C-alpha cells in the first residue's frame, strides 16, 4: 500500500482550504488517512470525487471529553459526515457513501464567530510563548555567568530567539488587526474570505525548518572536526528538538494534547539518551587532542602528561582546559577577543569560581591578591593558596591545584612558563 506524507502548516482560518486540498488529492487517487500537527498522510487508491469537511471542535481535545466528543460525532453523522481523523480541535470528516451531507456550519455568522474566538486564542498563545521565551532568556542572562554564553551555539540561540520573538509579536498584531476588520465586515452582513495558499505555504515553512536543522547539524560537524568535541549545550538542544518533533509532528493520543508531565518525560529521556550516546562515541571514537606545549602550564613538571581539550567562540576565540594525570590539578585558559571583553569575562569567571552571586568588586575586596612575586595580577581563590585566578592582558588563567603558590619554586616555575605561553 503506497503512502504519501506531506508537510501541512495550518491555522484556524485554513479549514476550508484544507477541505479543498483533500478533495483535490482524492481526485488524483490519494485519499486522506491521518492528520498530524504539521503534516497529513494520504493512502493511494482509486481516483474519485470525495467531499471533505474540516471542522473545529469547540475546545482543544482533552482526556475527559469522550462523551461530549461522541455527541459531536453523532451529530455530524446525522448530517451525512463520517469522522476520518482529528488533531487537537481540528476534526476531518468525509461524506458518507450515498449521502448528501449538509454543511456542518450553515450560519456564516456563527461559523465566523467560532473561527474568530479560535484565532484570538491562537494569537494569545503565540504572544504568551514569545514573551515567555524572551523573559526566560533575560533571566538566564542575569543568573548564569558570561562564560556560559561563550558557546557559539548558545550565543546564536540567545540572539536569534528574541529577534524571532519580536517578529512573532508583530505578525500576531497584524493578524489581530485583520481579524477585527473581518469581524466588522461580517457584522455588517458582508461576506468574508481568507486568501489561502495552504500547500505552497506549508512546503515553504517545512523547507525553512529543514534548512535550520541542516545548519545546526553542519555547525556541530564543523565544531567537532575543528576542535574534536561537541558544543556543551548540544544535549539540551537535541532534547528540545526531540520534544518539538514528538509534540508537533507525531500524532497525539487520539488527537488529544499531551499532558505537561509527558513533555517533561520526553525531555528527560532525550537528554539522558543523548548524553549516553555522545559519551560512548566520545570515549570510543574521539581522537585525543594534541597537547600544544606553548599553550599549557605544567606547574613543576615539564614532561607531565595530561588531558587537553580546546574550544572557541566569537567572544573567546581560544579556550582550553588541561587536567594533569599525575599531579592533581587542572588549568583553564581563556583568551578574549579584546581587552574590554577580557575584563568582563574575568569578572564573570571570578563570580562563577567563587560560587558567589555578589558583584565582582565585592568579591575582589574579599579575596587576597597575589603577592608581588607574580608577574600577573590576580587573586587567591582559597585560604590554602592552592587555587588562583590571574588576568594577563586579554587572557584569564584559572588553576586549581594541590600545590601551594606560596612556595617560591612553584611561583618561579609559573612565571617562567607564563612568559613562554603563546597567547596569540
Amino acid at each position: 500500500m503506497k503512502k504519501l506524507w506531506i508537510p501541512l502548516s495550518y491555522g484556524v482560518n485554513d479549514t476550508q482550504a484544507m477541505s479543498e486540498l483533500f478533495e483535490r488529492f482524492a481526485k488524483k487517487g490519494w485519499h486522506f488517512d491521518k492528520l498530524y500537527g504539521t503534516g497529513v498522510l494520504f493512502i493511494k487508491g482509486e481516483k474519485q470525487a470525495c467531499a471533505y469537511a474540516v471542522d473545529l471542535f469547540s475546545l482543544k481535545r482533552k482526556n475527559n471529553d469522550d462523551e461530549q466528543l461522541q455527541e459531536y460525532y453523532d451529530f455530524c453523522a446525522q448530517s451525512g459526515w463520517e469522522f476520518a481523523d482529528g488533531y487537537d480541535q481540528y476534526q476531518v470528516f468525509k461524506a458518507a457513501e450515498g449521502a448528501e451531507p449538509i454543511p456542518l456550519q450553515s450560519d456564516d455568522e456563527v461559523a465566523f464567530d467560532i473561527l474568530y474566538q479560535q484565532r484570538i486564542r491562537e494569537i494569545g498563545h503565540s504572544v504568551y510563548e514569545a514573551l515567555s521565551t524572551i523573559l526566560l532568556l533575560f533571566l538566564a542572562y542575569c543568573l548564569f555567568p558570561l562564560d556560559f554564553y561563550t558557546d557559539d551555539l548558545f550565543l546564536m540561540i540567545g540572539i536569534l530567539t528574541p529577534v524571532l520573538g519580536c517578529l512573532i509579536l508583530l505578525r500576531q498584531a497584524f493578524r489581530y488587526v485583520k481579524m477585527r476588520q473581518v469581524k466588522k465586515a461580517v457584522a455588517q452582513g458582508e461576506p468574508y474570505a481568507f486568501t489561502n495558499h495552504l500547500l505552497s505555504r506549508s512546503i515553504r515553512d517545512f523547507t525553512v525548518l529543514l534548512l535550520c536543522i541542516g545548519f545546526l547539524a553542519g555547525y556541530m560537524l564543523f565544531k567537532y572536526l575543528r576542535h574534536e568535541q561537541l558544543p556543551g549545550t548540544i544535549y539540551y538542544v537535541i532534547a528540545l528538538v526531540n520534544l518539538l518533533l514528538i509534540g508537533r509532528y507525531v500524532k497525539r493520543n487520539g488527537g488529544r494534547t499531551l499532558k505537561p508531565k509527558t513533555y517533561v518525560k520526553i525531555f528527560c529521556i532525550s537528554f539522558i539518551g543523548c548524553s549516553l550516546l555522545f559519551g560512548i562515541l566520545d570515549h570510543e571514537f574521539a581522537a585525543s587532542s594534541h597537547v600544544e606545549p606553548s599553550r599549557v602550564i605544567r606547574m613543576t613538571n615539564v614532561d607531565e602528561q595530561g588531558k587537553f581539550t580546546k574550544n572557541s567562540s566569537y567572544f573567546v576565540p581560544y579556550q582550553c582546559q588541561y587536567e594533569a594525570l599525575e599531579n592533581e590539578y587542572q588549568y583553564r585558559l581563556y583568551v578574549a577577543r579584546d581587552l574590554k571583553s577580557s575584563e568582563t569575562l574575568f569578572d564573570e569567571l571570578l563570580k562563577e569560581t567563587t560560587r558567589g552571586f555578589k558583584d565582582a568588586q565585592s568579591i575582589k575586596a574579599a579575596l587576597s591578591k597575589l603577592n608581588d612575586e607574580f608577574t600577573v595580577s590576580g587573586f587567591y581563590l582559597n585560604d590554602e593558596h592552592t587555587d588562583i585566578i590571574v588576568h594577563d592582558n586579554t587572557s584569564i588563567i584559572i588553576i586549581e591545584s594541590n600545590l601551594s603558590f606560596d612556595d617560591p619554586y612553584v611561583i618561579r616555575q609559573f612565571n617562567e612558563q607564563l612568559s613562554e605561553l603563546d597567547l596569540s
Side-chain angles (χ1 to χ4, degrees):
M1 182 181 297
K2 293 184 178 180
K3 297 183 179 180
L4 173 66
W5 182 92
I6 63 171
L8 197 68
S9 301
Y10 49 86
V12 294
N13 61 320
D14 292 323
T15 54
Q16 182 61 34
M18 292 170 67
S19 303
E20 296 173 357
L21 177 67
F22 299 157
E23 291 171 358
R24 291 201 308 270
F25 269 73
K27 292 179 181 179
K28 298 178 181 179
W30 291 102
H31 299 277
F32 171 83
D33 183 57
K34 293 185 182 296
L35 185 67
Y36 296 85
T38 48
V40 61
L41 181 67
F42 295 94
I43 294 181
K44 185 66 175 178
E46 296 181 358
K47 298 179 180 180
Q48 58 180 335
C50 299
Y52 285 91
V54 181
D55 196 24
L56 295 170
F57 188 51
S58 57
L59 297 173
K60 281 194 174 184
R61 297 190 57 182
K62 300 179 181 178
N63 291 318
N64 57 353
D65 61 5
D66 289 336
E67 184 176 349
Q68 183 181 4
L69 194 62
Q70 189 58 48
E71 293 177 357
Y72 168 70
Y73 290 157
D74 292 341
F75 169 78
C76 294
Q78 295 172 5
S79 303
W81 296 101
E82 293 179 349
F83 174 70
D85 196 34
Y87 182 88
D88 280 355
Q89 73 267 45
Y90 300 92
Q91 307 298 310
V92 182
F93 297 90
K94 181 180 179 180
E97 186 175 352
E100 296 183 1
I102 61 175
L104 294 178
Q105 287 290 347
S106 57
D107 190 331
D108 288 344
E109 188 171 346
V110 173
F112 177 79
D113 185 61
I114 295 176
L115 188 150
Y116 178 79
Q117 295 300 327
Q118 295 285 356
R119 169 59 79 187
I120 295 301
R121 188 179 294 113
E122 184 182 83
I123 292 175
H125 288 169
S126 298
V127 172
Y128 169 75
E129 291 170 359
L131 292 177
S132 299
T133 303
I134 295 174
L135 178 61
L136 287 174
L137 286 172
F138 175 75
L139 293 176
Y141 181 81
C142 295
L143 295 177
F144 287 96
L146 186 64
D147 71 312
F148 187 66
Y149 296 87
T150 57
D151 191 317
D152 289 332
L153 186 61
F154 194 90
L155 181 67
M156 178 176 59
I157 295 174
I159 291 177
L160 292 181
T161 304
V163 174
L164 292 176
C166 293
L167 292 176
I168 290 174
L169 293 178
L170 292 175
R171 181 185 181 189
Q172 296 303 332
F174 173 78
R175 286 184 173 182
Y176 176 76
V177 172
K178 183 179 179 181
M179 289 295 293
R180 295 287 296 182
Q181 293 173 348
V182 176
K183 183 178 183 181
K184 184 178 180 180
V186 171
Q188 296 174 355
E190 300 176 5
Y192 72 93
F194 293 95
T195 303
N196 286 294
H197 303 283
L198 188 59
L199 186 57
S200 60
R201 188 187 71 201
S202 300
I203 294 176
R204 179 201 64 194
D205 294 343
F206 186 70
T207 302
V208 171
L209 176 63
L210 290 180
L211 290 175
C212 291
I213 295 176
F215 174 79
L216 181 63
Y219 170 81
M220 290 188 295
L221 179 62
F222 169 77
K223 294 286 284 188
Y224 184 78
L225 293 177
R226 182 176 179 182
H227 303 292
E228 298 176 350
Q229 65 179 33
L230 289 169
T233 54
I234 192 60
Y235 306 131
Y236 299 99
V237 173
I238 293 181
L240 289 174
V241 170
N242 288 341
L243 189 64
L244 171 68
L245 293 177
I246 293 175
R248 294 297 298 170
Y249 283 85
V250 179
K251 182 175 173 58
R252 301 177 186 179
N253 179 26
R256 297 179 174 88
T257 57
L258 295 177
K259 295 180 180 179
K261 65 179 182 181
T262 305
Y263 281 108
V264 175
K265 290 179 181 178
I266 294 172
F267 179 84
C268 293
I269 292 174
S270 300
F271 177 78
I272 294 173
C274 292
S275 300
L276 291 174
L277 176 62
F278 284 110
I280 294 173
L281 292 176
D282 185 64
H283 181 268
E284 296 294 335
F285 303 105
S288 58
S289 300
H290 174 67
V291 178
E292 303 175 45
S294 62
R295 290 188 180 275
V296 177
I297 294 179
R298 290 182 176 77
M299 300 293 286
T300 58
N301 185 1
V302 295
D303 297 323
E304 189 173 42
Q305 298 297 317
K307 180 181 179 182
F308 183 79
T309 58
K310 54 187 175 180
N311 202 351
S312 68
S313 70
Y314 179 78
F315 290 116
V316 187
Y318 193 93
Q319 307 170 48
C320 74
Q321 182 169 330
Y322 180 82
E323 295 182 10
L325 298 180
E326 298 177 3
N327 297 319
E328 296 180 0
Y329 79 90
Q330 66 173 7
Y331 151 90
R332 285 184 287 163
L333 166 67
Y334 301 85
V335 180
R337 185 168 293 277
D338 51 50
L339 184 59
K340 184 177 181 180
S341 298
S342 72
E343 293 172 350
T344 303
L345 183 61
F346 178 77
D347 290 345
E348 295 298 330
L349 288 172
L350 188 62
K351 289 190 289 185
E352 178 201 19
T353 307
T354 56
R355 300 293 189 272
F357 291 95
K358 304 176 182 178
D359 61 279
Q361 296 302 322
S362 300
I363 297 176
K364 291 176 183 178
L367 295 178
S368 301
K369 292 184 177 181
L370 298 182
N371 60 45
D372 295 337
E373 297 183 46
F374 282 95
T375 59
V376 294
S377 62
F379 299 90
Y380 295 107
L381 295 174
N382 57 359
D383 295 335
E384 293 78 17
H385 291 186
T386 57
D387 303 342
I388 63 172
I389 179 171
V390 299
H391 188 193
D392 181 23
N393 197 13
T394 59
S395 65
I396 297 99
I397 300 173
I398 302 174
I399 296 181
E400 300 173 2
S401 71
N402 60 350
L403 300 175
S404 174
F405 282 91
D406 289 335
D407 186 340
Y409 177 73
V410 175
I411 297 175
R412 185 167 61 252
Q413 289 290 108
F414 177 82
N415 285 333
E416 289 178 358
Q417 295 183 36
L418 181 63
S419 63
E420 299 174 357
L421 195 63
D422 178 14
L423 301 179
S424 59

